Amino acid sequence: MTEAEHRKPQSDEARSFYDSEITSEFAVPDGLAMPRGVGGEPETTSEFAVPKGLEVPQPSTAEPEGSAFNTPRTYSARDAPPAFTPATGIPVVSLTKDVPWQDRMRTMLRMPVAERPAPEPVQKSEDDAGPAVPRVLDLTLRIGELLLAGGEGAEDVEAAMFAVCRSYALDRCEPNVTFTLLSISYQPSLVDDPVTASRTVRRRGTDYTRLAAVFQLVDDLSDPETAISLEEAYRRLAEIRRNRHPYPTWVLTLASGLLAAAASVLVGGDLVVFVAAMLGAMLGDRLAWLCAGRGLPEFYQFTVAAMPPAAIGIALTLAHVDVKASAVITGGLFALLPGRALVAGVQDGLTGFYITASARLLEVMYFFVGIVVGVLVMLYVGVQLGARLNPDEALSTGSQPLWQIAASMLLSLTFAVLLQQERSTVLAVTLNGGVAWCVYGAMHYTGEFSPVASTAVAAGLVGLFGQLLSRYRFASALPYTTAAIGPLLPGSATYFGLLSIAGNDVDEGLVSLSKAAALAMAIAIGVNLGSEISRLFLRVGSAGKRRAAKRTRGF
Protein backbone atom coordinates (compact mmCIF):
# COMPACT_ATOMS: atom_id res chain seq x y z
CA MET A 1 0.00 0.00 0.00
CA THR A 2 1.27 3.37 -1.01
CA GLU A 3 1.55 6.44 1.23
CA ALA A 4 -1.47 8.13 -0.46
CA GLU A 5 -3.66 5.07 0.03
CA HIS A 6 -2.62 4.89 3.65
CA ARG A 7 -3.82 8.53 4.26
CA LYS A 8 -7.20 8.06 2.50
CA PRO A 9 -10.06 7.13 4.91
CA GLN A 10 -11.71 3.82 4.18
CA SER A 11 -15.16 4.19 5.92
CA ASP A 12 -17.93 6.82 6.48
CA GLU A 13 -17.07 7.22 10.13
CA ALA A 14 -13.47 7.82 9.29
CA ARG A 15 -14.47 10.29 6.55
CA SER A 16 -16.68 12.33 9.00
CA PHE A 17 -13.87 12.51 11.46
CA TYR A 18 -11.48 13.57 8.73
CA ASP A 19 -13.78 16.52 7.58
CA SER A 20 -14.27 17.89 11.11
CA GLU A 21 -10.55 18.10 11.55
CA ILE A 22 -9.88 20.41 8.55
CA THR A 23 -12.66 23.06 9.01
CA SER A 24 -11.89 26.82 8.43
CA GLU A 25 -11.70 29.34 11.26
CA PHE A 26 -14.71 31.15 9.64
CA ALA A 27 -16.95 28.13 10.15
CA VAL A 28 -19.91 28.43 12.55
CA PRO A 29 -19.16 26.76 15.84
CA ASP A 30 -21.31 23.84 17.08
CA GLY A 31 -24.33 24.94 19.09
CA LEU A 32 -24.69 28.43 17.52
CA ALA A 33 -27.76 28.54 15.27
CA MET A 34 -27.82 31.27 12.56
CA PRO A 35 -31.06 32.18 10.72
CA ARG A 36 -31.09 31.21 7.11
CA GLY A 37 -31.92 33.84 4.43
CA VAL A 38 -35.19 33.55 2.61
CA GLY A 39 -35.08 32.22 -0.89
CA GLY A 40 -31.47 31.21 -0.74
CA GLU A 41 -30.12 34.79 -0.25
CA PRO A 42 -26.47 34.99 0.86
CA GLU A 43 -25.94 35.65 4.51
CA THR A 44 -23.29 38.34 3.94
CA THR A 45 -24.76 41.84 3.28
CA SER A 46 -23.25 45.10 1.88
CA GLU A 47 -22.65 48.09 4.11
CA PHE A 48 -24.83 50.09 1.68
CA ALA A 49 -27.85 47.92 2.28
CA VAL A 50 -30.87 49.48 3.99
CA PRO A 51 -31.38 48.03 7.51
CA LYS A 52 -34.60 46.20 8.29
CA GLY A 53 -37.32 48.36 9.71
CA LEU A 54 -36.24 51.52 7.86
CA GLU A 55 -38.51 52.16 4.87
CA VAL A 56 -37.56 54.86 2.37
CA PRO A 57 -40.47 56.32 0.39
CA GLN A 58 -39.87 56.17 -3.33
CA PRO A 59 -40.72 59.18 -5.55
CA SER A 60 -43.88 58.91 -7.56
CA THR A 61 -42.29 60.19 -10.77
CA ALA A 62 -40.96 57.88 -13.37
CA GLU A 63 -37.50 59.44 -13.25
CA PRO A 64 -35.19 58.72 -10.33
CA GLU A 65 -34.45 61.41 -7.78
CA GLY A 66 -30.95 61.89 -9.08
CA SER A 67 -32.09 62.95 -12.55
CA ALA A 68 -30.93 66.37 -13.76
CA PHE A 69 -34.47 67.14 -14.97
CA ASN A 70 -36.19 66.35 -11.68
CA THR A 71 -36.60 68.88 -8.88
CA PRO A 72 -34.90 67.71 -5.64
CA ARG A 73 -37.26 66.78 -2.82
CA THR A 74 -35.46 69.03 -0.35
CA TYR A 75 -35.74 72.18 -2.53
CA SER A 76 -38.47 74.73 -1.92
CA ALA A 77 -38.75 77.91 -3.98
CA ARG A 78 -40.45 79.76 -1.13
CA ASP A 79 -37.92 78.70 1.51
CA ALA A 80 -34.83 78.97 -0.66
CA PRO A 81 -31.51 79.55 1.12
CA PRO A 82 -29.87 82.99 0.77
CA ALA A 83 -27.71 83.58 -2.29
CA PHE A 84 -24.02 82.91 -1.96
CA THR A 85 -21.86 86.01 -1.66
CA PRO A 86 -18.35 85.63 -3.13
CA ALA A 87 -15.33 86.45 -1.02
CA THR A 88 -14.52 89.46 -3.22
CA GLY A 89 -17.96 90.92 -2.62
CA ILE A 90 -20.59 92.08 -5.09
CA PRO A 91 -19.91 95.40 -6.85
CA VAL A 92 -22.22 98.19 -5.80
CA VAL A 93 -24.43 99.47 -8.62
CA SER A 94 -26.27 102.74 -8.25
CA LEU A 95 -29.94 102.28 -9.04
CA THR A 96 -31.01 105.80 -8.21
CA LYS A 97 -33.20 107.83 -10.51
CA ASP A 98 -30.56 110.42 -11.34
CA VAL A 99 -28.44 107.84 -13.16
CA PRO A 100 -29.31 107.19 -16.84
CA TRP A 101 -30.90 103.81 -17.37
CA GLN A 102 -28.37 103.08 -20.14
CA ASP A 103 -25.51 103.07 -17.61
CA ARG A 104 -27.42 101.04 -15.03
CA MET A 105 -28.49 98.34 -17.44
CA ARG A 106 -25.16 98.27 -19.29
CA THR A 107 -23.34 97.72 -15.99
CA MET A 108 -25.59 94.87 -14.92
CA LEU A 109 -25.48 93.18 -18.32
CA ARG A 110 -21.70 92.77 -17.93
CA MET A 111 -22.23 90.95 -14.60
CA PRO A 112 -23.01 87.25 -14.17
CA VAL A 113 -26.68 86.53 -13.51
CA ALA A 114 -26.03 85.40 -9.94
CA GLU A 115 -24.22 88.65 -9.06
CA ARG A 116 -26.76 91.12 -10.40
CA PRO A 117 -28.40 93.23 -7.70
CA ALA A 118 -32.05 92.25 -7.47
CA PRO A 119 -34.80 94.52 -6.12
CA GLU A 120 -36.48 93.78 -2.85
CA PRO A 121 -39.11 91.02 -3.24
CA VAL A 122 -42.67 92.24 -3.03
CA GLN A 123 -45.32 90.04 -1.43
CA LYS A 124 -48.12 89.58 -3.93
CA SER A 125 -51.44 87.91 -3.59
CA GLU A 126 -52.57 85.09 -5.81
CA ASP A 127 -54.81 87.44 -7.81
CA ASP A 128 -51.95 89.89 -8.39
CA ALA A 129 -49.43 87.59 -10.03
CA GLY A 130 -48.13 90.20 -12.49
CA PRO A 131 -48.11 90.13 -16.28
CA ALA A 132 -47.50 86.96 -18.19
CA VAL A 133 -43.87 86.30 -19.04
CA PRO A 134 -44.44 85.75 -22.80
CA ARG A 135 -46.18 89.13 -23.13
CA VAL A 136 -43.35 90.93 -21.34
CA LEU A 137 -40.82 89.26 -23.62
CA ASP A 138 -42.89 90.22 -26.67
CA LEU A 139 -42.98 93.87 -25.58
CA THR A 140 -39.24 93.76 -24.99
CA LEU A 141 -38.54 92.40 -28.46
CA ARG A 142 -40.78 94.99 -30.13
CA ILE A 143 -38.97 97.82 -28.37
CA GLY A 144 -35.59 96.34 -29.28
CA GLU A 145 -36.71 96.00 -32.91
CA LEU A 146 -37.53 99.71 -33.17
CA LEU A 147 -34.18 100.67 -31.65
CA LEU A 148 -32.13 98.34 -33.86
CA ALA A 149 -34.02 99.33 -37.01
CA GLY A 150 -33.43 103.00 -36.16
CA GLY A 151 -29.66 102.56 -36.18
CA GLU A 152 -28.95 102.23 -32.45
CA GLY A 153 -25.87 100.31 -31.38
CA ALA A 154 -26.20 96.69 -30.26
CA GLU A 155 -24.99 97.44 -26.72
CA ASP A 156 -27.65 100.10 -26.13
CA VAL A 157 -30.33 97.84 -27.63
CA GLU A 158 -29.42 95.07 -25.18
CA ALA A 159 -29.44 97.57 -22.31
CA ALA A 160 -32.91 98.78 -23.30
CA MET A 161 -34.26 95.23 -23.55
CA PHE A 162 -32.86 94.37 -20.14
CA ALA A 163 -34.37 97.55 -18.68
CA VAL A 164 -37.83 96.62 -19.95
CA CYS A 165 -37.64 93.10 -18.51
CA ARG A 166 -36.31 94.34 -15.19
CA SER A 167 -39.11 96.89 -14.89
CA TYR A 168 -41.58 93.95 -14.83
CA ALA A 169 -39.53 91.97 -12.27
CA LEU A 170 -37.90 89.63 -14.81
CA ASP A 171 -34.33 89.83 -13.52
CA ARG A 172 -32.89 86.53 -14.71
CA CYS A 173 -33.07 87.37 -18.41
CA GLU A 174 -30.42 87.36 -21.11
CA PRO A 175 -30.98 89.49 -24.26
CA ASN A 176 -29.01 88.84 -27.41
CA VAL A 177 -28.75 91.20 -30.40
CA THR A 178 -27.37 90.57 -33.86
CA PHE A 179 -27.77 92.53 -37.08
CA THR A 180 -31.18 91.11 -38.03
CA LEU A 181 -32.18 88.88 -35.09
CA LEU A 182 -33.27 89.73 -31.55
CA SER A 183 -33.71 87.04 -28.92
CA ILE A 184 -34.23 86.96 -25.18
CA SER A 185 -34.34 84.13 -22.64
CA TYR A 186 -35.82 84.23 -19.15
CA GLN A 187 -35.32 81.54 -16.49
CA PRO A 188 -36.98 82.14 -13.09
CA SER A 189 -34.58 79.82 -11.23
CA LEU A 190 -32.10 77.06 -11.83
CA VAL A 191 -34.78 74.39 -11.54
CA ASP A 192 -37.40 76.05 -13.76
CA ASP A 193 -37.71 75.77 -17.51
CA PRO A 194 -36.48 78.84 -19.47
CA VAL A 195 -38.77 80.84 -21.74
CA THR A 196 -37.19 82.05 -24.97
CA ALA A 197 -38.55 84.35 -27.68
CA SER A 198 -37.04 85.92 -30.79
CA ARG A 199 -37.90 88.49 -33.43
CA THR A 200 -36.42 89.32 -36.84
CA VAL A 201 -35.77 92.86 -38.08
CA ARG A 202 -37.05 92.94 -41.66
CA ARG A 203 -37.03 96.64 -42.51
CA ARG A 204 -34.82 99.53 -41.43
CA GLY A 205 -35.66 103.19 -41.48
CA THR A 206 -33.99 106.37 -40.23
CA ASP A 207 -36.30 108.29 -37.89
CA TYR A 208 -34.58 109.74 -34.86
CA THR A 209 -37.86 111.24 -33.61
CA ARG A 210 -39.24 107.73 -33.21
CA LEU A 211 -35.94 106.65 -31.66
CA ALA A 212 -36.19 109.42 -29.04
CA ALA A 213 -39.78 108.42 -28.24
CA VAL A 214 -38.72 104.81 -27.65
CA PHE A 215 -35.92 105.99 -25.36
CA GLN A 216 -38.44 108.05 -23.39
CA LEU A 217 -40.70 105.00 -23.05
CA VAL A 218 -37.83 102.86 -21.73
CA ASP A 219 -36.87 105.65 -19.33
CA ASP A 220 -40.41 105.78 -17.95
CA LEU A 221 -40.54 102.00 -17.62
CA SER A 222 -37.24 101.86 -15.73
CA ASP A 223 -38.29 104.65 -13.35
CA PRO A 224 -39.35 103.01 -10.05
CA GLU A 225 -41.67 105.92 -9.24
CA THR A 226 -43.60 105.59 -12.50
CA ALA A 227 -45.87 102.54 -12.55
CA ILE A 228 -46.70 101.78 -16.18
CA SER A 229 -48.83 98.73 -16.80
CA LEU A 230 -48.16 96.37 -19.64
CA GLU A 231 -51.27 97.52 -21.50
CA GLU A 232 -50.22 101.16 -21.21
CA ALA A 233 -46.75 100.29 -22.53
CA TYR A 234 -48.30 98.50 -25.52
CA ARG A 235 -50.54 101.52 -26.19
CA ARG A 236 -47.62 103.95 -26.16
CA LEU A 237 -45.58 101.65 -28.38
CA ALA A 238 -48.44 101.51 -30.90
CA GLU A 239 -48.63 105.32 -30.91
CA ILE A 240 -44.89 105.53 -31.58
CA ARG A 241 -45.25 103.19 -34.55
CA ARG A 242 -48.22 105.15 -35.96
CA ASN A 243 -46.59 108.58 -35.63
CA ARG A 244 -45.82 110.23 -38.94
CA HIS A 245 -42.41 111.60 -39.78
CA PRO A 246 -41.90 115.21 -38.62
CA TYR A 247 -40.81 116.39 -42.08
CA PRO A 248 -42.66 115.76 -45.38
CA THR A 249 -41.02 114.33 -48.46
CA TRP A 250 -40.46 117.65 -50.25
CA VAL A 251 -38.60 118.98 -47.20
CA LEU A 252 -36.33 115.94 -47.28
CA THR A 253 -35.59 116.49 -50.97
CA LEU A 254 -34.81 120.16 -50.37
CA ALA A 255 -32.59 119.23 -47.41
CA SER A 256 -30.68 116.76 -49.59
CA GLY A 257 -30.02 119.48 -52.13
CA LEU A 258 -28.93 122.02 -49.51
CA LEU A 259 -26.62 119.44 -47.94
CA ALA A 260 -24.82 118.86 -51.25
CA ALA A 261 -24.65 122.62 -51.89
CA ALA A 262 -23.16 123.31 -48.46
CA ALA A 263 -20.61 120.53 -49.00
CA SER A 264 -19.59 122.09 -52.33
CA VAL A 265 -18.89 125.37 -50.52
CA LEU A 266 -16.69 123.50 -48.03
CA VAL A 267 -14.42 122.40 -50.89
CA GLY A 268 -14.20 125.85 -52.47
CA GLY A 269 -17.30 126.16 -54.66
CA ASP A 270 -18.92 129.44 -55.64
CA LEU A 271 -22.56 130.39 -56.26
CA VAL A 272 -22.82 128.52 -59.57
CA VAL A 273 -21.37 125.40 -57.98
CA PHE A 274 -23.79 125.83 -55.06
CA VAL A 275 -26.82 125.80 -57.38
CA ALA A 276 -25.49 123.01 -59.59
CA ALA A 277 -24.72 120.72 -56.66
CA MET A 278 -28.13 121.44 -55.17
CA LEU A 279 -29.97 120.54 -58.38
CA GLY A 280 -27.92 117.38 -58.88
CA ALA A 281 -28.54 116.11 -55.35
CA MET A 282 -32.28 116.86 -55.53
CA LEU A 283 -32.59 115.01 -58.83
CA GLY A 284 -30.66 112.06 -57.45
CA ASP A 285 -32.88 111.98 -54.36
CA ARG A 286 -36.03 111.87 -56.49
CA LEU A 287 -34.64 109.06 -58.64
CA ALA A 288 -33.73 107.09 -55.51
CA TRP A 289 -37.29 107.52 -54.17
CA LEU A 290 -38.63 106.27 -57.50
CA CYS A 291 -36.42 103.16 -57.33
CA ALA A 292 -37.48 102.55 -53.73
CA GLY A 293 -41.14 102.73 -54.76
CA ARG A 294 -40.47 100.04 -57.39
CA GLY A 295 -38.90 97.76 -54.79
CA LEU A 296 -35.28 97.95 -55.95
CA PRO A 297 -32.61 97.18 -53.31
CA GLU A 298 -30.68 100.00 -51.68
CA PHE A 299 -27.57 99.17 -53.68
CA TYR A 300 -29.27 100.31 -56.89
CA GLN A 301 -30.83 103.29 -55.13
CA PHE A 302 -27.37 104.57 -54.16
CA THR A 303 -26.08 103.89 -57.68
CA VAL A 304 -28.87 105.89 -59.29
CA ALA A 305 -28.64 108.72 -56.75
CA ALA A 306 -24.90 109.16 -57.41
CA MET A 307 -25.33 109.64 -61.17
CA PRO A 308 -27.04 113.10 -61.48
CA PRO A 309 -24.42 115.15 -59.55
CA ALA A 310 -21.63 113.53 -61.57
CA ALA A 311 -23.57 114.10 -64.81
CA ILE A 312 -24.11 117.81 -64.03
CA GLY A 313 -20.43 118.29 -63.19
CA ILE A 314 -19.38 116.67 -66.47
CA ALA A 315 -21.96 118.71 -68.41
CA LEU A 316 -20.54 121.94 -67.00
CA THR A 317 -17.06 120.83 -68.03
CA LEU A 318 -18.19 119.99 -71.57
CA ALA A 319 -19.97 123.35 -71.81
CA HIS A 320 -16.70 125.08 -70.89
CA VAL A 321 -18.27 126.84 -67.93
CA ASP A 322 -15.59 128.29 -65.70
CA VAL A 323 -16.54 126.40 -62.55
CA LYS A 324 -15.02 123.62 -60.52
CA ALA A 325 -16.83 120.49 -61.62
CA SER A 326 -15.00 118.54 -58.94
CA ALA A 327 -16.73 120.61 -56.25
CA VAL A 328 -20.15 119.78 -57.76
CA ILE A 329 -19.46 116.04 -57.78
CA THR A 330 -17.88 116.14 -54.32
CA GLY A 331 -20.94 117.92 -52.91
CA GLY A 332 -23.21 115.23 -54.33
CA LEU A 333 -21.11 112.53 -52.70
CA PHE A 334 -21.49 114.13 -49.27
CA ALA A 335 -25.24 113.54 -49.39
CA LEU A 336 -24.76 109.81 -50.06
CA LEU A 337 -21.87 108.63 -47.89
CA PRO A 338 -23.25 106.27 -45.19
CA GLY A 339 -21.70 107.92 -42.15
CA ARG A 340 -24.44 106.77 -39.78
CA ALA A 341 -24.04 103.07 -40.59
CA LEU A 342 -20.25 103.38 -40.45
CA VAL A 343 -20.26 104.90 -36.96
CA ALA A 344 -22.71 102.26 -35.68
CA GLY A 345 -20.65 99.42 -37.18
CA VAL A 346 -17.37 100.58 -35.66
CA GLN A 347 -19.07 101.19 -32.32
CA ASP A 348 -20.41 97.62 -32.26
CA GLY A 349 -16.97 96.27 -33.04
CA LEU A 350 -15.29 98.30 -30.30
CA THR A 351 -17.86 97.18 -27.72
CA GLY A 352 -17.48 93.46 -28.51
CA PHE A 353 -20.43 92.78 -30.87
CA TYR A 354 -18.31 91.47 -33.70
CA ILE A 355 -21.02 89.69 -35.68
CA THR A 356 -23.23 92.78 -35.77
CA ALA A 357 -20.23 95.00 -36.53
CA SER A 358 -19.20 92.78 -39.45
CA ALA A 359 -22.71 92.87 -40.88
CA ARG A 360 -22.96 96.67 -40.54
CA LEU A 361 -19.57 97.25 -42.14
CA LEU A 362 -20.49 94.87 -44.96
CA GLU A 363 -23.64 96.94 -45.51
CA VAL A 364 -21.52 100.11 -45.62
CA MET A 365 -19.24 98.47 -48.17
CA TYR A 366 -22.19 97.61 -50.42
CA PHE A 367 -23.50 101.18 -50.22
CA PHE A 368 -20.07 102.56 -51.01
CA VAL A 369 -19.66 100.21 -53.97
CA GLY A 370 -23.04 101.39 -55.27
CA ILE A 371 -21.87 105.01 -55.07
CA VAL A 372 -18.59 104.07 -56.79
CA VAL A 373 -20.42 102.34 -59.65
CA GLY A 374 -22.74 105.28 -60.23
CA VAL A 375 -19.97 107.90 -60.24
CA LEU A 376 -17.56 105.76 -62.28
CA VAL A 377 -20.13 105.18 -65.01
CA MET A 378 -20.67 108.91 -65.44
CA LEU A 379 -16.95 109.72 -65.22
CA TYR A 380 -16.16 107.10 -67.85
CA VAL A 381 -18.81 108.55 -70.14
CA GLY A 382 -17.40 112.04 -69.57
CA VAL A 383 -13.86 110.92 -70.37
CA GLN A 384 -15.06 109.27 -73.57
CA LEU A 385 -16.86 112.47 -74.56
CA GLY A 386 -13.70 114.51 -74.11
CA ALA A 387 -14.36 116.12 -70.73
CA ARG A 388 -11.12 117.32 -69.21
CA LEU A 389 -11.36 116.29 -65.57
CA ASN A 390 -8.07 116.83 -63.80
CA PRO A 391 -7.37 114.34 -60.96
CA ASP A 392 -4.58 116.61 -59.69
CA GLU A 393 -6.87 119.60 -59.31
CA ALA A 394 -6.46 121.04 -55.83
CA LEU A 395 -9.64 122.16 -54.13
CA SER A 396 -9.21 125.59 -52.52
CA THR A 397 -10.20 124.67 -48.99
CA GLY A 398 -9.41 126.79 -45.98
CA SER A 399 -9.31 130.11 -47.89
CA GLN A 400 -12.70 131.34 -46.66
CA PRO A 401 -13.05 130.16 -43.05
CA LEU A 402 -16.20 132.15 -42.20
CA TRP A 403 -18.11 130.93 -45.23
CA GLN A 404 -16.97 127.38 -44.56
CA ILE A 405 -18.06 127.49 -40.92
CA ALA A 406 -21.48 128.68 -42.04
CA ALA A 407 -21.55 125.94 -44.70
CA SER A 408 -20.61 123.27 -42.15
CA MET A 409 -23.45 124.36 -39.87
CA LEU A 410 -25.88 124.32 -42.80
CA LEU A 411 -24.66 120.84 -43.71
CA SER A 412 -25.26 119.58 -40.16
CA LEU A 413 -28.69 121.23 -40.11
CA THR A 414 -29.83 119.60 -43.34
CA PHE A 415 -28.33 116.26 -42.28
CA ALA A 416 -30.42 116.42 -39.11
CA VAL A 417 -33.55 117.02 -41.18
CA LEU A 418 -32.74 114.01 -43.37
CA LEU A 419 -32.41 111.90 -40.21
CA GLN A 420 -35.91 113.00 -39.10
CA GLN A 421 -34.67 114.46 -35.83
CA GLU A 422 -36.81 116.30 -33.34
CA ARG A 423 -36.90 120.04 -33.84
CA SER A 424 -35.59 120.57 -30.30
CA THR A 425 -32.32 118.77 -31.15
CA VAL A 426 -31.60 120.45 -34.49
CA LEU A 427 -30.00 123.57 -33.01
CA ALA A 428 -27.69 121.57 -30.71
CA VAL A 429 -26.44 119.29 -33.46
CA THR A 430 -25.95 122.27 -35.80
CA LEU A 431 -23.68 123.97 -33.27
CA ASN A 432 -21.88 120.69 -32.66
CA GLY A 433 -21.14 120.37 -36.38
CA GLY A 434 -19.80 123.93 -36.51
CA VAL A 435 -17.48 123.24 -33.58
CA ALA A 436 -16.24 120.07 -35.28
CA TRP A 437 -15.30 121.96 -38.45
CA CYS A 438 -13.61 124.74 -36.47
CA VAL A 439 -11.43 122.18 -34.68
CA TYR A 440 -10.63 120.38 -37.93
CA GLY A 441 -9.77 123.62 -39.75
CA ALA A 442 -7.62 124.92 -36.91
CA MET A 443 -5.61 121.71 -36.72
CA HIS A 444 -5.31 120.89 -40.43
CA TYR A 445 -5.04 124.27 -42.16
CA THR A 446 -3.50 126.38 -39.40
CA GLY A 447 -1.58 123.79 -37.37
CA GLU A 448 -0.71 121.70 -40.48
CA PHE A 449 -1.61 118.41 -38.81
CA SER A 450 -2.44 115.39 -40.95
CA PRO A 451 -6.09 115.19 -42.08
CA VAL A 452 -6.58 111.82 -40.38
CA ALA A 453 -5.42 113.11 -36.97
CA SER A 454 -7.43 116.32 -37.34
CA THR A 455 -10.54 114.36 -38.28
CA ALA A 456 -10.13 111.98 -35.34
CA VAL A 457 -9.81 114.83 -32.82
CA ALA A 458 -12.79 116.71 -34.25
CA ALA A 459 -14.91 113.55 -34.28
CA GLY A 460 -13.85 112.84 -30.68
CA LEU A 461 -15.20 116.22 -29.60
CA VAL A 462 -18.42 115.50 -31.49
CA GLY A 463 -18.83 112.23 -29.57
CA LEU A 464 -17.97 113.89 -26.26
CA PHE A 465 -20.45 116.76 -26.65
CA GLY A 466 -23.10 114.45 -28.04
CA GLN A 467 -22.79 112.09 -25.09
CA LEU A 468 -23.03 114.97 -22.62
CA LEU A 469 -26.14 116.34 -24.31
CA SER A 470 -27.75 112.91 -24.38
CA ARG A 471 -27.04 112.35 -20.67
CA TYR A 472 -28.42 115.77 -19.84
CA ARG A 473 -31.68 114.90 -21.60
CA PHE A 474 -31.67 111.14 -20.80
CA ALA A 475 -31.93 110.35 -24.51
CA SER A 476 -29.97 108.61 -27.24
CA ALA A 477 -26.65 110.10 -28.33
CA LEU A 478 -27.23 109.44 -32.04
CA PRO A 479 -29.30 112.58 -32.74
CA TYR A 480 -26.50 114.72 -31.29
CA THR A 481 -23.56 113.05 -33.04
CA THR A 482 -24.57 111.58 -36.42
CA ALA A 483 -25.47 114.83 -38.17
CA ALA A 484 -22.52 116.68 -36.61
CA ILE A 485 -19.98 114.43 -38.37
CA GLY A 486 -21.38 115.38 -41.79
CA PRO A 487 -18.75 118.09 -42.52
CA LEU A 488 -15.97 115.60 -41.76
CA LEU A 489 -17.02 112.93 -44.28
CA PRO A 490 -14.34 112.15 -46.91
CA GLY A 491 -16.18 113.30 -50.03
CA SER A 492 -13.26 114.89 -51.88
CA ALA A 493 -10.89 111.97 -51.30
CA THR A 494 -13.54 109.57 -52.59
CA TYR A 495 -14.13 111.65 -55.73
CA PHE A 496 -10.47 112.02 -56.66
CA GLY A 497 -9.92 108.31 -56.16
CA LEU A 498 -12.78 107.46 -58.50
CA LEU A 499 -11.59 110.02 -61.04
CA SER A 500 -8.11 108.52 -61.10
CA ILE A 501 -9.53 105.04 -61.62
CA ALA A 502 -11.69 106.36 -64.49
CA GLY A 503 -8.54 107.83 -66.06
CA ASN A 504 -6.76 104.41 -65.89
CA ASP A 505 -4.52 105.54 -63.03
CA VAL A 506 -5.53 102.70 -60.73
CA ASP A 507 -2.61 103.05 -58.32
CA GLU A 508 -3.30 106.70 -57.61
CA GLY A 509 -6.99 105.97 -57.30
CA LEU A 510 -6.46 103.21 -54.75
CA VAL A 511 -4.21 105.51 -52.71
CA SER A 512 -6.91 108.18 -52.62
CA LEU A 513 -9.62 105.65 -51.75
CA SER A 514 -7.42 104.29 -48.96
CA LYS A 515 -7.14 107.82 -47.59
CA ALA A 516 -10.94 108.10 -47.70
CA ALA A 517 -11.27 104.82 -45.79
CA ALA A 518 -8.75 106.04 -43.20
CA LEU A 519 -10.71 109.26 -42.73
CA ALA A 520 -13.95 107.32 -42.34
CA MET A 521 -12.43 105.04 -39.70
CA ALA A 522 -10.99 108.08 -37.90
CA ILE A 523 -14.49 109.57 -37.73
CA ALA A 524 -16.07 106.40 -36.36
CA ILE A 525 -13.34 105.69 -33.81
CA GLY A 526 -13.20 109.34 -32.73
CA VAL A 527 -16.95 109.48 -32.07
CA ASN A 528 -16.86 106.28 -30.03
CA LEU A 529 -13.75 107.36 -28.11
CA GLY A 530 -15.34 110.70 -27.22
CA SER A 531 -18.38 108.89 -25.85
CA GLU A 532 -16.23 106.54 -23.77
CA ILE A 533 -14.18 109.46 -22.38
CA SER A 534 -17.36 111.07 -21.09
CA ARG A 535 -18.18 107.85 -19.20
CA LEU A 536 -14.61 107.30 -18.01
CA PHE A 537 -13.53 110.69 -16.67
CA LEU A 538 -16.43 113.08 -16.37
CA ARG A 539 -18.48 110.78 -14.13
CA VAL A 540 -21.76 112.32 -15.27
CA GLY A 541 -24.38 109.94 -14.00
CA SER A 542 -22.13 106.92 -14.03
CA ALA A 543 -23.34 103.66 -12.57
CA GLY A 544 -20.18 102.08 -11.35
CA LYS A 545 -17.62 100.04 -13.24
CA ARG A 546 -18.70 98.55 -16.54
CA ARG A 547 -17.04 95.20 -16.91
CA ALA A 548 -15.31 94.61 -20.21
CA ALA A 549 -13.54 91.67 -21.79
CA LYS A 550 -9.94 91.25 -20.68
CA ARG A 551 -7.12 91.31 -23.16
CA THR A 552 -6.32 87.85 -24.47
CA ARG A 553 -2.62 88.61 -25.18
CA GLY A 554 -2.87 86.84 -28.50
CA PHE A 555 -4.12 83.46 -27.34
Side-chain angles (χ1 to χ4, degrees), residues 179-202:
F179 185 59
T180 57
L181 181 64
L182 299 168
S183 63
I184 188 168
S185 178
Y186 171 69
Q187 188 175 12
S189 63
L190 295 176
V191 296
D192 292 327
D193 296 330
V195 181
T196 304
S198 62
R199 193 173 182 87
T200 303
V201 179
R202 300 292 183 184

Side-chain angles (χ1 to χ4, degrees), residues 62 163 251 267 327 372 486 489 522 549:
V251 174
V267 292
V372 167
L489 293 176

Side-chain angles (χ1 to χ4, degrees), residues 9 69 120 128 132 134 136 164 168 183 205-206 221 295 303 305 364 366 441 490 497 541:
F69 301 96
E120 294 294 332
D128 187 18
V136 175
V164 175
Y168 292 105
S183 63
T206 304
L221 287 173
T303 302
V364 171
Y366 271 101

Side-chain angles (χ1 to χ4, degrees), residues 235-284:
R235 185 190 64 79
R236 290 181 56 177
L237 187 61
E239 290 181 355
I240 293 172
R241 284 181 172 275
R242 287 195 300 264
N243 281 346
R244 300 184 63 181
H245 299 306
Y247 307 105
T249 305
W250 67 270
V251 174
L252 299 180
T253 302
L254 180 61
S256 178
L258 289 175
L259 190 154
S264 66
V265 174
L266 283 180
V267 292
D270 53 9
L271 182 60
V272 178
V273 173
F274 184 94
V275 176
M278 180 177 176
L279 292 178
M282 293 174 65
L283 181 58

Side-chain angles (χ1 to χ4, degrees), residues 94-104 219 474 541-543:
S94 175
L95 300 179
T96 58
K97 183 181 177 181
D98 58 341
V99 177
W101 61 264
Q102 299 99 310
D103 285 348
R104 287 180 283 159
D219 187 31
F474 282 46
S542 61

Side-chain angles (χ1 to χ4, degrees), residues 21-82:
E21 290 292 334
I22 60 174
T23 55
S24 170
E25 62 269 19
F26 296 100
V28 180
D30 294 338
L32 180 60
M34 296 294 296
R36 296 289 180 180
V38 181
E41 290 284 339
E43 297 183 14
T44 58
T45 58
S46 171
E47 62 269 21
F48 299 101
V50 180
K52 291 185 177 181
L54 180 60
E55 297 180 358
V56 179
Q58 296 296 328
S60 58
T61 59
E63 293 179 344
E65 182 182 353
S67 173
F69 301 96
N70 190 21
T71 305
R73 293 183 298 104
T74 59
Y75 179 82
S76 175
R78 295 183 177 179
D79 302 329

Side-chain angles (χ1 to χ4, degrees), residues 57-231:
Q58 296 296 328
S60 58
T61 59
E63 293 179 344
E65 182 182 353
S67 173
F69 301 96
N70 190 21
T71 305
R73 293 183 298 104
T74 59
Y75 179 82
S76 175
R78 295 183 177 179
D79 302 329
F84 170 73
T85 302
T88 57
I90 298 177
V92 178
V93 179
S94 175
L95 300 179
T96 58
K97 183 181 177 181
D98 58 341
V99 177
W101 61 264
Q102 299 99 310
D103 285 348
R104 287 180 283 159
M105 300 304 117
R106 188 185 295 113
T107 303
M108 284 186 287
L109 275 175
R110 296 297 180 97
M111 294 182 179
V113 178
E115 297 182 10
R116 292 175 184 170
E120 294 294 332
V122 180
Q123 299 295 332
K124 297 182 179 180
S125 61
E126 296 181 359
D127 298 336
D128 187 18
V133 172
R135 295 201 64 196
V136 175
L137 298 185
D138 177 71
L139 175 67
T140 303
L141 291 173
R142 291 178 184 272
I143 291 177
E145 178 190 9
L146 283 181
L147 292 176
L148 188 62
E152 191 61 72
E155 186 180 28
D156 289 330
V157 175
E158 280 195 357
M161 294 172 65
F162 184 74
V164 175
C165 286
R166 187 178 175 84
S167 63
Y168 292 105
L170 302 185
D171 299 310
R172 302 178 63 90
C173 63
E174 288 292 340
N176 187 22
V177 176
T178 57
F179 185 59
T180 57
L181 181 64
L182 299 168
S183 63
I184 188 168
S185 178
Y186 171 69
Q187 188 175 12
S189 63
L190 295 176
V191 296
D192 292 327
D193 296 330
V195 181
T196 304
S198 62
R199 193 173 182 87
T200 303
V201 179
R202 300 292 183 184
R203 298 183 60 186
R204 299 177 183 273
T206 304
D207 189 347
Y208 282 1
T209 301
R210 179 180 296 174
L211 188 70
V214 176
F215 261 73
Q216 184 61 44
L217 174 59
V218 177
D219 187 31
D220 294 340
L221 287 173
S222 59
D223 188 359
E225 299 180 2
T226 305
I228 299 179
S229 63
L230 191 63
E231 303 300 331

